[in-house]
Amino acid sequence: MTLLDFARGPGLQGAWLIMVAGTAWRVSGILLLRQRSHLAAPRIGFAGRVRVGLATVFTRFVPRRTFWPRIAVSVGLSSTFHLGLAVIVLGGAPHILLIHQFFWLTWPNLPKGLVAIVSGVTLASMIALLFRRIYHPVLRLLSKADDYLSWLLVFLPVLTGILLSGETIASYSTWLTMHILSVELMMVWLPFGKLLHVKLAFFGRAAMGMNFARKGAAT
Amino acid sequence: MRGFVSDFGPTAALSMESCVHCGRCADACQFYVQTGDPRYTPIHKIAPFRQAYAREVGPFAMFYRLLGLARKVTADELTKWQDLIYDSCNMCGRCSLICPMGIDIADLVEKARHGMYRAGLAPSDYLGLLAEKEQATGSPFGLSTTKFREMLNAIADQHGVAMHVDEATADIVPTVSSIDLKTYPGSMAAIAKILNHMGESWTFRTDGFDADNVSLTAGDRDGQRKTTLGIVQAAASCGAKTLLMPECGHAFTEMRWEAANAFGKPLPFRVMQITEFLAEGLADGRIRVKTVKQRATYHDACQISRRGGATAGPRIILEALGVDLHETEDTGDSNWCCGGGGGVALINRAAPLRKKAFEIKQRQIEATGMETVYTSCSGCRQTLDHGGKAAQWNKTVGSLLELVADSLRP
């Protein structure tokens, strides 16, 4: 068995298993805690609270005007990175093929050149984000090993993906192996650190929206 | 710490799990913005409590303990966090509003204060002291029911208003803030004037009058509950249909949103912040006012507007009065905190820090060009008064409640 065979076979299966089991464990460990009661008369009914909760998932993407001047750089870099990643994963032809293999969904891909440019911008934004994390006093204070590890585990797939797509420095199959293995490493760590924000962000925003809607408080 | 984390529900647990260390909460916080000190980053203020959560209650708690991934937090260690959890947090909720993960950081600070209080770490000069007095006497300044009754009678004489005290039955029971008792007693005359004008059946109750709930801001859960339930029982015992919360931020959020949980069932009366009550009365014609030819700005109390959902009331009142309102740049739910809330005004050593935090509010009020600023929280009013004095303002700081009372049409 070559390393590529391993990456495409047992490696992928193992990574999926760990990612799904770990996520299920962590999310259920949070959501199955005893819910405290809220006996105060709510300002709006349950349906209204659900509506606000779901809306908050989306409105939190755009911060309020009062915050803007100070967080423009943070929002700019973070949005560039996240949107870039979305364009690469959902717009790149090889990824669409992969998704089609597992989930039978498909859609038109973006031109390779465009994905290449977006990949470069995404990589640059990641490097800028790392510098910011190292040098900004607030981020330096807050950051732990998981922050840097999570950065690396996302950086490697983006970097190896660019090198794979450019078929440069090493062979196609070497970069393909590295790319798949790096994604699998990310999948294995995902449930245990901050990378799980891919799920927790939606739960957290919705929960805040619903709880605050009960009070008519600002979301 | 086990006690602190043991009653965490899913929302609090989500909050503890979700932080991605983006640092944006710092940029929402008046203490960080004004000092540049990264320790004032809101989520950082509760770091030992997140550690305790991960170790004791989190989904991987067993592994944290077995592999030594998080140390047990000691009471000694918590001493180092006292000024972060108390002096530099108004629990104003701006951080909760900016957090991209939906973490209610302000609520986590309130929970952290429970742990701090139990560890004997509420600042004794003088927030902790007031909380102890409130637990013992029902009033943070130790005001007895007799003294309160005397005060009300004196106010009645001074202002020529009919005062109702300890009536056996009444539809409306108003409450006061300890700051009103100490510094702005005119607010009690104002309440009386307005309720008499409306022809309502009402009474102050000396067995449940001070709604300030300093215990809440100190982190004393037992005191918080005792103060709240004392007022609930007082209102329920005279068959009140409405309990009126005074011009006080935390008094409102506590009674409106938490009291029923302490009571164990829905409250038998409506709880209204005074601005909600006044707005309703103005809208349906029960309160009739003269036009006030004035230009003014308005300062929102964080617990009433952003956290409490009662932002609209003050605007309705000011419009009904015909006041030409010039809002500050960041207003309503997006306003900056005055820096005095959450018990910070009751911590003497925090005065310089509080003054720095206030400067944002000061600049925004000055930028409106208005000579009058109204508010509907006595804590904010006091902070604006003190801050304005230090800034050598020629501005008037007024209470919305007293403005309505002074503008009543016969």
Side-chain angles (χ1 to χ4, degrees):
Chain A
M1 183 190 276
T2 64
L3 196 53
L4 182 56
D5 292 330
F6 170 80
R8 276 171 159 160
L12 185 59
Q13 286 153 14
W16 264 114
L17 183 66
I18 293 170
M19 187 177 79
V20 169
T23 300
W25 179 273
R26 191 169 168 198
V27 171
S28 60
I30 296 165
L31 298 183
L32 293 178
L33 289 172
R34 195 171 52 95
Q35 179 78 262
R36 61 175 290 240
S37 52
H38 295 290
L39 297 170
R43 289 203 198 267
I44 61 173
F46 181 71
R49 299 203 293 275
V50 169
R51 219 174 25 250
V52 174
L54 290 174
T56 307
V57 169
F58 297 98
T59 55
R60 276 293 157 121
F61 281 117
V62 185
R64 285 179 170 240
R65 199 179 56 86
T66 177
F67 301 129
W68 264 109
R70 295 192 63 91
I71 62 168
V73 171
S74 165
V75 173
L77 283 176
S78 164
S79 302
T80 303
F81 159 66
H82 283 93
L83 287 171
L85 211 55
V87 164
I88 297 165
V89 171
L90 299 175
H95 297 133
I96 297 173
L97 272 171
L98 190 69
I99 291 167
H100 179 63
Q101 255 184 301
F102 287 102
F103 300 110
W104 305 287
L105 297 166
T106 192
W107 53 83
N109 59 277
L110 290 170
K112 189 173 175 183
L114 179 60
V115 177
I117 292 169
V118 170
S119 303
V121 169
T122 304
L123 198 80
S125 72
M126 287 197 76
I127 293 169
L129 282 164
L130 179 68
F131 264 82
R132 206 162 169 270
R133 186 164 287 288
I134 292 169
Y135 290 110
H136 193 295
V138 168
L139 297 180
R140 201 166 54 238
L141 178 67
L142 293 178
S143 298
K144 305 275 176 290
D146 172 49
D147 294 285
Y148 298 106
L149 177 63
S150 299
W151 179 90
L152 185 65
L153 291 176
V154 177
F155 185 76
L156 286 176
V158 175
L159 178 65
T160 51
I162 290 172
L163 291 167
L164 170 64
S165 164
E167 295 183 53
T168 182
I169 301 173
S171 71
Y172 178 86
S173 68
T174 299
W175 287 129
L176 183 63
T177 309
M178 294 299 118
H179 185 60
I180 297 173
L181 284 175
S182 67
V183 172
E184 286 165 7
L185 273 176
M186 184 187 72
M187 288 165 70
V188 161
W189 185 243
L190 189 137
F192 306 108
K194 71 188 243 183
L195 286 177
L196 197 63
H197 75 273
V198 300
K199 293 255 176 322
L200 297 181
F202 298 99
F203 285 122
R205 291 174 182 189
M208 172 179 266
M210 284 190 70
N211 286 333
F212 281 24
R214 193 166 19 89
K215 299 189 259 189
T219 54
Chain B
M1 286 306 236
R2 216 154 219 275
F4 158 71
V5 295
S6 63
D7 67 349
F8 264 39
T11 309
L14 253 178
S15 292
M16 286 292 183
E17 294 274 348
S18 297
C19 181
V20 292
H21 297 155
C22 71
R24 284 187 205 169
C25 52
D27 287 308
C29 178
Q30 49 274 9
F31 294 101
Y32 169 74
V33 165
Q34 285 295 96
T35 63
D37 187 341
R39 293 181 320 128
Y40 296 141
T41 303
I43 199 69
H44 175 68
K45 292 170 187 170
I46 57 150
F49 295 89
R50 292 179 66 213
Q51 195 176 310
Y53 161 82
R55 196 194 138 82
E56 307 291 341
V57 172
F60 302 119
M62 183 175 60
F63 298 104
Y64 271 89
R65 289 197 298 272
L66 275 174
L67 301 172
L69 297 174
R71 288 172 297 106
K72 214 168 181 175
V73 178
T74 62
D76 273 344
E77 210 178 318
L78 285 181
T79 317
K80 298 193 205 91
W81 296 86
Q82 191 193 45
D83 71 310
L84 295 186
I85 291 171
Y86 283 102
D87 304 36
S88 69
C89 183
N90 301 118
M91 300 189 287
C92 75
R94 280 180 60 89
C95 51
S96 308
L97 212 54
I98 203 176
C99 178
M101 295 297 292
I103 300 170
D104 189 358
I105 307 172
D107 183 57
L108 295 180
V109 170
E110 188 183 316
K111 287 179 164 54
R113 288 188 182 185
H114 300 161
M116 295 295 281
Y117 189 87
R118 232 182 268 141
L121 289 170
S124 54
D125 179 23
Y126 54 107
L127 177 62
L129 204 66
L130 293 185
E132 280 167 22
K133 240 189 233 177
E134 187 180 65
Q135 247 238 61
T137 67
S139 156
F141 295 107
L143 205 64
S144 66
T145 56
T146 312
K147 186 75 189 153
F148 181 51
R149 199 175 293 120
E150 282 170 14
M151 274 189 78
L152 289 173
N153 290 332
I155 287 167
D157 290 337
Q158 194 186 345
H159 293 265
V161 294
M163 197 63 82
H164 297 274
V165 185
D166 289 334
E167 309 257 343
T169 58
D171 287 343
I172 298 178
V173 170
T175 51
V176 302
S177 144
S178 52
I179 302 176
D180 287 332
L181 289 167
K182 207 165 168 262
T183 315
Y184 308 115
S187 66
M188 284 164 275
I191 284 267
K193 264 194 209 167
I194 292 168
L195 292 173
N196 292 339
H197 165 89
M198 295 169 79
E200 294 284 356
S201 129
W202 69 274
T203 185
F204 279 112
R205 292 283 304 209
T206 59
D207 55 342
F209 62 92
D210 191 333
D212 216 0
N213 218 315
V214 169
S215 302
L216 186 170
T217 51
D220 176 8
R221 287 182 88 187
D222 293 334
Q224 176 183 349
R225 200 183 141 80
K226 193 175 170 193
T227 303
T228 297
L229 289 179
I231 294 169
V232 169
Q233 303 291 6
S237 68
C238 64
K241 298 198 179 87
T242 304
L243 178 64
L244 274 189
M245 302 317 290
E247 291 191 312
C248 175
H250 271 103
F252 173 62
T253 41
E254 167 64 12
M255 196 61 68
R256 180 62 179 92
W257 301 115
E258 295 300 327
N261 298 331
F263 192 51
K265 54 188 176 187
L267 298 177
F269 42 74
R270 275 180 91 184
V271 175
M272 298 184 83
Q273 209 272 330
I274 188 64
T275 54
E276 295 182 299
F277 179 78
L278 296 175
E280 219 175 69
L282 285 162
D284 63 23
R286 285 177 297 143
I287 303 176
R288 298 163 303 282
V289 291
K290 300 178 277 211
T291 304
V292 174
K293 283 190 174 44
Q294 220 181 74
R295 298 165 76 227
T297 187
Y298 184 75
H299 163 73
D300 290 272
C302 306
Q303 298 302 320
I304 295 170
S305 297
R306 179 169 41 255
R307 306 284 288 169
T311 315
R315 276 93 193 156
I316 294 171
I317 295 167
L318 289 165
E319 192 179 329
L321 288 165
V323 169
D324 180 13
L325 175 63
H326 292 250
E327 302 264 20
T328 52
E329 185 187 342
D330 298 308
T331 191
D333 297 335
S334 297
N335 80 319
W336 285 90
C337 180
C338 64
V344 175
L346 303 175
I347 303 171
N348 277 330
R349 71 179 179 211
L353 184 59
R354 196 167 77 236
K355 183 171 177 290
K356 278 226 76 75
F358 173 73
E359 284 167 11
I360 301 178
K361 194 82 227 182
Q362 177 191 329
R363 281 195 297 271
Q364 293 210 334
I365 289 174
E366 286 167 359
T368 64
M370 296 297 107
E371 286 179 9
T372 307
V373 49
Y374 286 109
T375 186
S376 204
C377 166
S378 298
C380 298
R381 187 178 175 189
Q382 188 171 250
T383 303
L384 289 165
D385 271 337
H386 291 169
K389 208 168 159 188
Q392 295 174 321
W393 270 357
N394 57 356
K395 297 184 194 304
T396 306
V397 179
S399 140
L400 208 50
L401 163 65
E402 289 178 32
L403 179 65
V404 172
D406 291 341
S407 309
L408 293 173
R409 257 196 296 126

